[in-house]
Amino acid sequence: MLSGCLGDDDRPVRVLVIGDPGSTFVGGARLPLAAQTLRAAAVEGLVGFDQQGRVAPALADRWIITDDGLSFIFRLRDGTWPGGRPITAESARAALVDALVQQRGQPLGADLAVIEEVRAMAGRVIEIRLKRQMPDLLQLLAQPELGLSVGGRGAGPMKSKRANDKDLGLSGVMLSPIAPEDRGLPPEEDWNERAQRVELAALPAAKAIKLFNAGEAELVLGGSFVDYPRLGEAGVSGGAIRFDQVAGLFGLAVVHGDGFLAKEENREAIAMAIDRDALIAAVNLSGWVATTRVINPGLEGDSGAIGERWIGRGIEDRRTTAAGRVSRYKSGRSGAVTLRIALPSGPGSDLLFKRLGEDLKAIGLEVRRVPMAADADLRLVDSVARYAQPAWFFNQLSCANARALCSASADTLFAKAQAELDPAKRVDLLGDAEAQLTVANSYIPFGVPIRWSLVSGGVTAFAVNRWGVHPLMPLAMLPK
């Protein structure tokens, strides 16, 4: 039993999320991981995620999808909002509409634009009607940002209160599971004996790893490429490191399309110069997937029509071509061509910047590192896909959402693909849209994102999954 492993029956399960210490309490449309983790625990939506990353019942205890795939009908559980107001179709509908409105203008809002109408039906039944089929709608509704609240408060499955641990320097949240009967669910035998508290806090990676190694935390979430080298430096046991095989974006976004970066062929020169194999070797992480494709290879819905770039051309051959483009740009101009690259702080970023500096110096370019919030020519993008479809990548990189250089022609083709009813034609249009994004070279991919967690031996309610989601509620319940 976990409490026995802790050696203190009164101590909560301590979960640390790598991030700014105040990030747990951030609100708004775009939530950092710590705030997502808290919201998923205290403000559930119609559905949520289990520890395996599968969609699971939440406010809705069951649902059906109509044969045409255009209607999702949810039956809400018999329960109440905080304060005692009954959970009804009308109140849940209003909360869902509010959550959808908040996402307008955001990448997640673009994913959710498929929703045509949310209807309150008889009793505790909600219908969501779609403009077109969206097999991943449940996956989207399970996102923490789609948690439903009334008066700013959610219906669980856990209740939270601010908590500070001065000895460890933690400012976080204490979460306690809500008994099933208080959530409109059947009572469970031995609930009080099994339920335990979970303490959630966000910390910089170095401190989170130190506390984990000292046995002061059972779980560290949110590890990425940026802090991966710290694990070896800190002597973390290999058995404690767990990797989520996620999909998503990990590369450089072109922020400004001027100067050297004004031409597509010059932006391609940067992509050609990067030695991704050397980056893999430097990271020393087996199994990491490098790619030259904008959209991760092998996703559902990927026709394979767009393959890896520059097949058959070695790195030196590519760099010769790229150096020629740099030389032509410099002709008649004085001074070096220097690109500002925005990267977060951390040893993984140090390693990445060193590699990029060597790669781009080989073709005649200089680089200067700047903070993520600073003005830059290139900025690191490191985001996990919310669902494993090409559409997620297009919405992230669209002119409406990218906040960087984009391709209007790719957006147009993607919109046509979304509206196309014929599956074969839709696949062709998606391939054309990816080809346009590829040619634009407004995003320069390195590979798939790297996500890791640290898990102590006493934690059993944790599982790696393709979304990198790790809910707190399973951690709060000792096994039967």
Side-chain angles (χ1 to χ4, degrees):
M1 292 176 67
L2 181 57
S3 59
C5 293
L6 297 177
D8 181 355
D9 289 344
D10 191 46
R11 174 178 148 176
V13 180
R14 186 168 290 135
V15 178
L16 305 178
V17 179
I18 294 175
D20 183 272
S23 63
T24 308
F25 311 106
V26 170
R30 289 194 175 195
L31 301 177
L33 180 60
Q36 287 182 354
T37 305
L38 173 59
R39 186 172 179 86
V43 188
E44 62 188 346
L46 293 177
V47 293
F49 290 112
D50 67 10
Q51 68 236 47
Q52 303 285 344
R54 300 170 300 201
V55 173
L59 287 178
D61 54 16
R62 56 188 183 275
W63 54 86
I64 62 171
I65 305 170
T66 55
D67 290 341
D68 61 6
L70 297 177
S71 179
F72 286 63
I73 300 172
F74 299 86
R75 173 77 178 185
L76 304 175
R77 70 167 189 255
D78 183 9
T80 60
W81 300 104
R85 181 181 173 185
I87 297 174
T88 64
E90 286 289 351
S91 60
R93 176 196 174 278
L96 178 56
V97 170
D98 286 346
L100 294 172
V101 168
Q102 190 172 31
Q103 290 302 317
R104 288 178 182 171
Q106 303 294 332
L108 182 56
D111 296 323
L112 293 162
V114 67
I115 295 176
E116 182 175 57
E117 182 184 12
V118 181
R119 297 176 56 211
M121 303 175 74
R124 298 192 305 274
V125 179
I126 279 183
E127 179 187 21
I128 298 179
R129 292 202 58 81
L130 307 182
K131 301 171 185 176
R132 53 178 171 76
Q133 291 185 355
M134 178 60 170
D136 294 292
L137 180 68
L138 292 173
Q139 181 80 17
L140 290 174
L141 294 175
Q143 300 301 322
E145 292 85 349
L146 272 293
L148 306 186
S149 62
V150 170
R153 299 170 65 193
M158 307 180 79
K159 56 185 178 181
S160 65
K161 65 177 181 179
R162 295 285 288 262
N164 295 308
D165 189 324
K166 294 181 180 179
D167 292 336
L168 296 180
L170 300 180
S171 177
V173 178
M174 191 69 71
L175 295 123
S176 303
I178 302 171
E181 57 268 29
D182 293 333
R183 299 174 58 220
L185 301 171
E188 292 186 20
E189 186 178 356
D190 300 328
W191 169 270
N192 291 331
E193 288 74 21
R194 295 175 52 227
Q196 54 186 355
R197 298 171 301 154
V198 175
E199 184 180 11
L200 174 70
L203 285 176
K207 186 170 183 179
I209 294 169
K210 182 178 180 180
L211 288 176
F212 179 85
N213 272 348
E216 296 289 353
E218 284 64 62
L219 196 62
V220 175
L221 302 176
S224 70
F225 177 91
V226 171
D227 293 299
Y228 178 67
R230 295 186 191 275
L231 300 179
E233 296 168 1
V236 175
S237 168
I241 306 169
R242 311 288 178 84
F243 292 96
D244 292 304
Q245 300 298 319
V246 298
L249 295 169
F250 181 51
L252 295 175
V254 179
V255 181
H256 297 298
D258 53 15
F260 177 75
L261 298 174
K263 291 187 176 181
E264 294 171 350
E265 65 178 25
N266 290 346
R267 301 194 293 268
E268 184 189 27
I270 296 172
M272 296 176 78
I274 295 172
D275 189 341
R276 293 162 182 81
D277 291 336
L279 184 57
I280 291 176
V283 176
N284 192 27
L285 177 60
S286 61
W288 179 53
V289 179
T291 184
T292 58
R293 288 186 59 183
V294 175
I295 294 173
N296 294 169
L299 297 182
E300 182 181 348
D302 175 23
S303 68
I306 305 298
E308 296 292 333
R309 305 179 74 179
W310 314 300
I311 295 296
R313 298 187 64 183
I315 186 66
E316 296 305 324
D317 181 23
R318 293 181 355 224
R319 285 179 175 172
T320 298
T321 301
R325 296 176 186 178
V326 175
S327 179
R328 285 194 293 274
Y329 176 80
K330 286 183 174 180
S331 179
R333 293 180 173 87
S334 60
V337 178
T338 302
L339 300 176
R340 298 164 298 170
I341 303 179
L343 298 172
S345 61
S349 292
D350 298 343
L351 182 155
L352 177 59
F353 182 72
K354 179 180 178 182
R355 289 290 336 150
L356 290 173
E358 294 173 356
D359 290 345
L360 298 187
K361 185 176 182 179
I363 64 171
L365 296 173
E366 301 295 327
V367 296
R368 178 162 63 90
R369 182 173 176 176
V370 299
M372 285 293 286
D375 192 22
D377 302 299
L378 303 166
R379 180 170 285 115
L380 184 69
V381 177
D382 187 1
S383 300
V384 175
R386 305 279 189 136
Y387 58 102
Q389 293 280 353
W392 180 86
F393 293 82
F394 286 111
N395 285 333
Q396 291 288 312
L397 300 173
S398 72
C399 292
N401 297 315
R403 294 173 171 80
L405 199 65
C406 61
S407 171
S409 58
D411 285 358
T412 298
L413 285 167
F414 173 63
K416 289 181 178 178
Q418 294 294 81
E420 178 56 59
L421 298 179
D422 184 288
K425 292 180 180 179
R426 187 185 309 120
V427 168
D428 289 342
L429 285 168
L430 286 173
D432 293 342
E434 184 181 352
Q436 285 295 317
L437 272 181
T438 302
V439 170
N441 292 290
S442 55
Y443 168 72
I444 299 168
F446 300 145
V448 301
I450 294 169
R451 290 295 183 270
W452 53 265
S453 303
L454 300 181
V455 185
S456 69
V459 174
T460 58
F462 177 94
V464 296
N465 59 76
R466 64 188 304 199
W467 313 117
V469 296
H470 302 292
L472 300 182
M473 183 62 177
L475 299 170
M477 300 305 300
L478 292 168
K480 294 182 179 180

